[in-house]
């Protein structure tokens, strides 16, 4: 028996309020996202691991607690994922490292989001010579080897930290800024193209006719209507940022010791993988699962927010 939803009821039995209410774009996107099992599973995995990393260090052993007599030992009842060469619990270090890796991914992506959305929206809205100038700047920055730029910035910040005795959080903050400062270029191009298409619509012309300021039109009318592509690209930027941080950790330019991230744990495990396999396998597996889950979630959001992909 079919359900008696407003869609299946005869027109005479549907109230005017139900007809006018309809279904919003966001509720329709949420409905399609829930039917995408890989995206839902990916989102749940990221959420659960994020909560574990946030709360885990409170109920697990200290990530800095050493037991040199124990040394590197395989997984056991006392240490679920084993210990590293200094006798530190690997499970606690993975949870703490997850805090750093996820925080770097989120904060650096937010930095890229703010810069890229603002830059692209202004360029796309004003157009003309200003747009040409701003996009040529983006093209020039694209031509630069951004990885080398980040490496140079990290080396420079490390020298400043040693000279002025700054704490390890200085390097983490610089890492946020360095990665975010080079990840906004693609976001700016995406936003520029979306703004150029949206600003030709009737409601933007109506806002101009009513005398609204350019700032209000950009941030109150245009950007809210292009949130779909922005959200999708944001979810796909986070794993890219985490991969870049892991790459910098392999070069010794990542999170300073005694702090750790998943990238530094994988590097430490790779150095001794022939003798102590668990030091590489467990951090690498967690890191791979999170990256895979984020990509599944990003693909699901892309399909959910793309109206043309709906088959309803």
């Amino acid at each position: 028996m079919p359900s008696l939803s407003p869609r299946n009821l005869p027109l005479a039995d549907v109230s005017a309020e139900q007809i006018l209410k309809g279904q919003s774009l966001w509720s329709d996107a949420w409905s399609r996202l829930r039917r995408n099992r890989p995206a839902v599973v990916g989102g749940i995995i990221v959420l659960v691991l994020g909560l574990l990393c946030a709360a885990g260090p409170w109920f697990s052993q200290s990530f800095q607690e050493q037991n040199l007599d124990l040394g590197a030992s395989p997984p056991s009842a006392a240490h679920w994922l084993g210990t590293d060469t200094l006798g530190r619990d690997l499970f606690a270090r993975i949870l703490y490292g997850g805090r750093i890796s996820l925080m770097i991914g989120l904060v650096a992506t937010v930095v890229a989001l703010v810069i890229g959305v603002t830059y692209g929206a202004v360029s796309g809205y004003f157009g003309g010579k200003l747009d040409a100038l701003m996009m040529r700047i983006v093209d020039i920055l694209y031509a630069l080897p951004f990885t080398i730029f980040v490496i140079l910035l990290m080396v420079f910040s490390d020298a400043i930290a040693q000279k002025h005795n700054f704490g390890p959080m200085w390097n983490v903050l610089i890492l946020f800024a360095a990665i975010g400062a080079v990840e906004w270029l693609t976001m700016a191009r995406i936003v520029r193209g979306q703004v150029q298409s949206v600003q030709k619509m009737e409601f933007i012309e109506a806002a101009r006719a009513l005398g609204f300021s350019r700032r209000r039109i950009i941030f109150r009318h245009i950007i809210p209507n292009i949130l779909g592509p922005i959200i999708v690209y944001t979810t796909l930027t986070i794993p890219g940022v985490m991969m870049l941080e892991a790459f910098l950790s392999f070069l010794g330019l990542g999170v300073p010791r005694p702090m750790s991230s998943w990238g530094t744990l994988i590097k430490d495990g790779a150095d001794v993988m022939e003798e102590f396999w668990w030091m590489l396998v467990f951090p690498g597996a967690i890191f791979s699962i999170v990256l895979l889950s984020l990509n599944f979630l990003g693909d699901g959001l892309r399909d959910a927010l793309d109206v043309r992909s709906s088959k309803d």
Side-chain angles (χ1 to χ4, degrees):
M1 178 178 180
S3 60
L4 296 180
S5 64
R7 291 182 177 181
N8 296 325
L9 285 172
L11 185 60
D13 296 332
V14 180
S15 66
E17 181 181 355
Q18 289 175 314
I19 295 175
L20 292 175
K21 185 177 180 181
Q23 188 175 22
S24 68
L25 173 64
W26 293 106
S27 61
D28 187 48
W30 171 244
S31 177
R32 290 201 298 272
L33 180 63
R34 286 184 300 175
R35 294 197 297 269
N36 191 323
R37 291 186 179 180
V40 172
V41 172
I44 293 174
I45 291 175
V46 172
L47 179 62
V48 170
L49 285 176
L51 292 176
L52 282 176
C53 292
W58 294 341
F59 59 81
S60 65
Q61 300 182 31
S62 172
F63 75 99
Q64 291 181 319
E65 183 179 343
Q66 300 181 9
N67 187 347
L68 297 178
D69 295 331
L70 181 63
S73 61
S76 62
H79 303 280
W80 297 346
L81 303 183
T83 59
D84 63 7
T85 54
L86 297 178
R88 295 174 294 189
D89 185 72
L90 188 59
F91 178 68
R93 288 181 62 77
I94 288 176
L95 292 181
Y96 184 83
R99 280 182 168 186
I100 302 297
S101 292
L102 292 173
M103 186 168 60
I104 288 175
L106 290 173
V107 175
T109 300
V110 169
V111 172
L113 186 68
V114 172
I115 298 174
V117 170
T118 304
Y119 193 94
V122 171
S123 176
Y125 181 81
F126 287 95
K129 294 182 179 179
L130 179 62
D131 175 47
L133 175 62
M134 295 177 72
M135 285 299 103
R136 295 300 78 74
I137 294 175
V138 171
D139 292 338
I140 293 172
L141 294 177
Y142 256 121
L144 299 177
F146 71 93
T147 305
I148 296 178
F149 167 76
V150 174
I151 292 173
L152 291 175
L153 185 58
M154 292 302 299
V155 171
F156 181 69
S157 67
D158 188 58
I160 294 178
Q162 292 180 1
K163 181 178 180 180
H164 298 281
N165 295 321
F166 291 151
M169 282 304 299
W170 165 264
N171 296 77
V172 177
L173 294 174
I174 293 298
L175 191 61
F176 291 159
I179 297 177
V182 298
E183 290 288 337
W184 63 271
L185 300 175
T186 303
M187 177 66 77
R189 281 187 167 179
I190 293 174
V191 172
R192 170 182 175 266
Q194 294 293 320
V195 169
Q196 286 181 333
S197 62
V198 169
Q199 71 168 341
K200 300 176 183 178
M201 296 183 177
E202 289 80 1
F203 70 95
I204 300 299
E205 296 296 336
R208 292 195 184 101
L210 291 173
F212 292 162
S213 65
R214 293 173 175 175
R215 179 179 178 181
R216 179 173 180 177
I217 292 174
I218 292 175
F219 291 100
R220 296 284 299 276
H221 298 276
I222 294 181
I223 291 181
N225 283 278
I226 61 173
L227 283 179
I230 293 175
I231 292 173
V232 172
Y233 185 72
T234 299
T235 57
L236 296 176
T237 300
I238 295 175
V241 170
M242 294 173 65
M243 284 290 292
L244 180 56
E245 184 277 327
F247 170 73
L248 293 175
S249 296
F250 265 87
L251 298 179
L253 299 173
V255 178
R257 300 177 187 279
M259 302 174 69
S260 65
S261 66
W262 285 336
T264 57
L265 292 177
I266 293 173
K267 177 185 181 300
D268 293 342
D271 293 337
V272 295
M273 63 180 179
E274 295 181 357
E275 298 178 83
F276 314 118
W277 57 268
W278 57 89
M279 290 181 58
L280 174 64
V281 170
F282 292 124
I286 295 295
F287 189 56
S288 300
I289 290 172
V290 170
L291 293 182
L292 188 63
S293 300
L294 285 170
N295 279 287
F296 277 140
L297 179 60
D299 289 340
L301 287 171
R302 179 195 61 199
D303 296 338
L305 293 171
D306 185 1
V307 179
R308 293 169 297 181
S309 68
S310 175
K311 298 181 180 179
D312 295 341

Coordinates of all heavy atoms in Angstrom, one line a residue, residues 27-69:
S27 N 16.8 20.2 2.0 CA 16.2 18.9 2.5 C 16.2 17.9 1.4 O 16.4 16.7 1.7 CB 14.7 19.2 2.9 OG 14.0 19.7 1.8
D28 N 16.1 18.3 0.2 CA 16.2 17.3 -0.9 C 17.6 16.7 -1.0 O 17.8 15.5 -1.3 CB 15.7 18.0 -2.2 CG 15.6 17.0 -3.4 OD1 15.0 15.9 -3.2 OD2 16.2 17.3 -4.5
A29 N 18.6 17.6 -0.8 CA 20.0 17.1 -0.9 C 20.3 16.2 0.3 O 21.0 15.2 0.1 CB 20.9 18.3 -0.8
W30 N 19.7 16.5 1.5 CA 19.9 15.6 2.6 C 19.3 14.3 2.4 O 19.8 13.2 2.8 CB 19.4 16.3 3.9 CG 19.3 15.4 5.1 CD1 18.2 15.0 5.7 CD2 20.4 14.9 5.8 NE1 18.5 14.2 6.8 CE2 19.9 14.1 6.9 CE3 21.8 14.9 5.6 CZ2 20.7 13.4 7.7 CZ3 22.6 14.2 6.5 CH2 22.1 13.5 7.5
S31 N 18.1 14.3 1.7 CA 17.4 13.0 1.4 C 18.3 12.2 0.5 O 18.4 11.0 0.7 CB 16.1 13.3 0.8 OG 15.4 12.1 0.5
R32 N 18.9 12.8 -0.5 CA 19.7 12.0 -1.5 C 21.0 11.6 -0.8 O 21.5 10.5 -1.1 CB 20.0 12.9 -2.7 CG 18.8 13.1 -3.6 CD 19.3 13.5 -5.0 NE 20.0 14.8 -5.0 CZ 19.5 16.0 -5.1 NH1 18.2 16.1 -5.2 NH2 20.2 17.0 -5.2
L33 N 21.6 12.4 0.1 CA 22.8 12.0 0.8 C 22.6 10.8 1.6 O 23.4 9.9 1.7 CB 23.3 13.2 1.6 CG 24.6 12.9 2.4 CD1 25.8 12.6 1.4 CD2 25.0 14.1 3.2
R34 N 21.4 10.7 2.3 CA 21.2 9.6 3.2 C 21.0 8.3 2.4 O 21.3 7.2 3.0 CB 19.9 9.9 4.0 CG 20.0 10.9 5.1 CD 18.7 11.0 5.9 NE 17.6 11.4 5.1 CZ 16.4 11.5 5.5 NH1 16.1 11.2 6.7 NH2 15.4 11.9 4.7
R35 N 20.7 8.4 1.2 CA 20.5 7.2 0.4 C 21.9 6.7 -0.2 O 22.0 5.6 -0.8 CB 19.6 7.4 -0.8 CG 18.1 7.6 -0.3 CD 17.1 7.4 -1.5 NE 17.3 8.4 -2.5 CZ 16.7 9.6 -2.6 NH1 15.9 10.0 -1.6 NH2 16.9 10.4 -3.6
N36 N 22.9 7.5 -0.1 CA 24.3 7.2 -0.6 C 25.0 6.5 0.6 O 25.6 7.2 1.5 CB 25.0 8.5 -1.0 CG 26.3 8.2 -1.7 OD1 27.0 7.2 -1.4 ND2 26.6 9.0 -2.7
R37 N 25.0 5.2 0.6 CA 25.6 4.4 1.7 C 27.1 4.7 1.9 O 27.5 4.9 3.0 CB 25.3 2.9 1.5 CG 23.8 2.6 1.7 CD 23.6 1.1 1.6 NE 22.2 0.7 1.8 CZ 21.8 -0.5 1.8 NH1 22.6 -1.5 1.7 NH2 20.5 -0.7 2.0
P38 N 27.9 4.7 0.8 CA 29.3 5.0 1.1 C 29.6 6.3 1.7 O 30.4 6.5 2.6 CB 29.9 4.9 -0.3 CG 29.0 4.0 -1.1 CD 27.7 4.3 -0.6
A39 N 28.8 7.4 1.3 CA 29.0 8.7 1.9 C 28.5 8.7 3.4 O 29.2 9.3 4.2 CB 28.2 9.7 1.1
V40 N 27.4 8.0 3.7 CA 27.0 7.9 5.1 C 28.0 7.2 5.9 O 28.3 7.7 7.0 CB 25.6 7.3 5.1 CG1 25.2 7.0 6.6 CG2 24.5 8.1 4.4
V41 N 28.5 6.1 5.5 CA 29.4 5.3 6.2 C 30.7 6.1 6.4 O 31.3 6.2 7.5 CB 29.7 4.0 5.5 CG1 30.9 3.3 6.2 CG2 28.5 3.1 5.5
G42 N 31.2 6.8 5.4 CA 32.3 7.7 5.5 C 32.2 8.8 6.5 O 33.1 9.0 7.3
G43 N 31.0 9.4 6.5 CA 30.7 10.5 7.4 C 30.7 9.9 8.9 O 31.2 10.6 9.8
I44 N 30.1 8.8 9.1 CA 30.1 8.2 10.4 C 31.5 7.8 10.9 O 31.8 8.1 12.1 CB 29.2 6.9 10.4 CG1 27.7 7.3 10.2 CG2 29.3 6.2 11.7 CD1 26.8 6.1 10.0
I45 N 32.3 7.3 10.0 CA 33.7 6.9 10.4 C 34.5 8.2 10.8 O 35.2 8.2 11.8 CB 34.4 6.2 9.2 CG1 33.8 4.8 9.1 CG2 35.9 6.0 9.5 CD1 34.3 4.0 7.9
V46 N 34.4 9.2 10.0 CA 35.1 10.5 10.3 C 34.6 11.0 11.6 O 35.4 11.5 12.5 CB 34.9 11.5 9.2 CG1 35.5 12.8 9.6 CG2 35.6 11.0 7.9
L47 N 33.3 11.0 11.9 CA 32.7 11.5 13.1 C 33.2 10.7 14.3 O 33.6 11.3 15.3 CB 31.2 11.6 13.0 CG 30.4 12.1 14.2 CD1 30.8 13.5 14.5 CD2 28.9 11.9 14.1
V48 N 33.1 9.4 14.2 CA 33.5 8.6 15.3 C 35.0 8.7 15.6 O 35.4 8.9 16.8 CB 33.2 7.1 15.0 CG1 33.8 6.2 16.1 CG2 31.7 6.9 15.0
L49 N 35.9 8.7 14.6 CA 37.3 8.9 14.8 C 37.6 10.3 15.4 O 38.5 10.4 16.2 CB 38.1 8.6 13.5 CG 38.2 7.1 13.1 CD1 38.9 7.0 11.8 CD2 38.9 6.4 14.2
G50 N 36.9 11.3 14.9 CA 37.1 12.6 15.4 C 36.7 12.7 16.9 O 37.5 13.4 17.7
L51 N 35.6 12.1 17.3 CA 35.2 12.1 18.7 C 36.3 11.3 19.6 O 36.6 11.7 20.7 CB 33.8 11.5 18.9 CG 32.7 12.4 18.3 CD1 31.4 11.6 18.4 CD2 32.6 13.7 19.0
L52 N 36.7 10.2 19.0 CA 37.7 9.4 19.8 C 39.0 10.2 19.9 O 39.6 10.2 21.0 CB 38.0 8.1 19.0 CG 37.0 7.0 19.2 CD1 37.4 5.8 18.3 CD2 36.9 6.6 20.6
C53 N 39.4 10.9 18.9 CA 40.7 11.7 19.0 C 40.5 12.9 19.9 O 41.4 13.3 20.7 CB 41.1 12.2 17.6 SG 41.6 10.9 16.5
A54 N 39.3 13.5 20.0 CA 39.0 14.6 20.9 C 39.0 14.2 22.3 O 39.5 14.8 23.2 CB 37.7 15.3 20.5
A55 N 38.3 13.0 22.6 CA 38.1 12.6 24.0 C 39.1 11.5 24.4 O 39.3 11.2 25.6 CB 36.7 12.1 24.2
G56 N 39.8 10.8 23.4 CA 40.6 9.7 23.7 C 41.7 9.9 24.7 O 41.9 9.2 25.7
P57 N 42.5 11.0 24.6 CA 43.6 11.3 25.5 C 43.2 11.4 26.9 O 44.0 11.3 27.8 CB 44.2 12.6 24.9 CG 43.9 12.5 23.5 CD 42.6 11.9 23.4
W58 N 41.9 11.7 27.2 CA 41.4 11.8 28.6 C 41.3 10.4 29.3 O 41.4 10.4 30.5 CB 40.0 12.5 28.6 CG 40.1 13.9 28.1 CD1 41.2 14.7 28.1 CD2 39.0 14.7 27.7 NE1 40.9 15.9 27.6 CE2 39.5 16.0 27.3 CE3 37.6 14.5 27.5 CZ2 38.7 17.0 26.9 CZ3 36.8 15.5 27.1 CH2 37.4 16.8 26.7
F59 N 41.0 9.4 28.5 CA 40.9 8.1 29.2 C 42.0 7.1 28.8 O 41.9 5.9 29.2 CB 39.5 7.5 28.9 CG 39.2 7.3 27.5 CD1 39.7 6.1 26.8 CD2 38.4 8.1 26.8 CE1 39.4 5.9 25.5 CE2 38.1 7.9 25.4 CZ 38.6 6.8 24.8
S60 N 42.9 7.5 27.9 CA 44.0 6.6 27.5 C 45.3 7.1 28.3 O 45.3 8.1 28.9 CB 44.2 6.6 26.0 OG 44.6 7.9 25.6
Q61 N 46.3 6.3 28.1 CA 47.6 6.7 28.7 C 48.2 7.9 28.0 O 47.8 8.3 26.9 CB 48.6 5.5 28.5 CG 48.2 4.2 29.2 CD 49.2 3.1 29.0 OE1 50.4 3.4 29.0 NE2 48.8 1.9 28.9
S62 N 49.1 8.6 28.7 CA 49.7 9.8 28.2 C 50.5 9.5 27.0 O 51.2 8.5 27.0 CB 50.5 10.5 29.3 OG 51.3 11.5 28.7
F63 N 50.4 10.3 26.0 CA 51.2 10.0 24.8 C 52.7 10.3 25.0 O 53.5 9.9 24.1 CB 50.7 10.9 23.6 CG 51.1 12.4 23.7 CD1 52.2 12.8 23.0 CD2 50.4 13.2 24.5 CE1 52.5 14.2 23.0 CE2 50.7 14.6 24.6 CZ 51.8 15.0 23.9
Q64 N 53.1 11.0 26.1 CA 54.5 11.3 26.4 C 55.1 10.3 27.4 O 56.3 10.4 27.7 CB 54.6 12.7 26.8 CG 54.3 13.8 25.8 CD 54.5 15.2 26.3 OE1 54.1 15.5 27.4 NE2 55.1 16.0 25.5
E65 N 54.3 9.5 28.0 CA 54.8 8.6 29.1 C 55.7 7.5 28.5 O 55.2 6.7 27.7 CB 53.6 8.0 29.8 CG 54.0 7.1 31.0 CD 52.8 6.5 31.7 OE1 51.6 7.0 31.5 OE2 52.9 5.5 32.4
Q66 N 56.9 7.5 28.9 CA 57.9 6.6 28.4 C 58.2 5.5 29.3 O 58.1 5.6 30.6 CB 59.2 7.3 28.1 CG 59.1 8.5 27.0 CD 60.4 9.1 26.8 OE1 61.5 8.7 27.2 NE2 60.4 10.2 26.0
N67 N 58.5 4.3 28.8 CA 59.0 3.2 29.5 C 60.1 2.5 28.7 O 59.9 1.6 27.9 CB 57.8 2.2 29.7 CG 58.2 1.0 30.6 OD1 59.4 0.8 31.0 ND2 57.2 0.3 31.1
L68 N 61.3 3.0 29.0 CA 62.5 2.6 28.2 C 62.8 1.1 28.4 O 63.3 0.5 27.5 CB 63.7 3.4 28.6 CG 63.6 5.0 28.3 CD1 64.9 5.7 28.7 CD2 63.4 5.2 26.8
D69 N 62.4 0.6 29.6 CA 62.6 -0.8 29.8 C 61.7 -1.7 28.9 O 62.1 -2.8 28.5 CB 62.4 -1.2 31.3 CG 63.4 -0.5 32.3 OD1 64.5 -0.3 31.8 OD2 63.0 -0.2 33.4

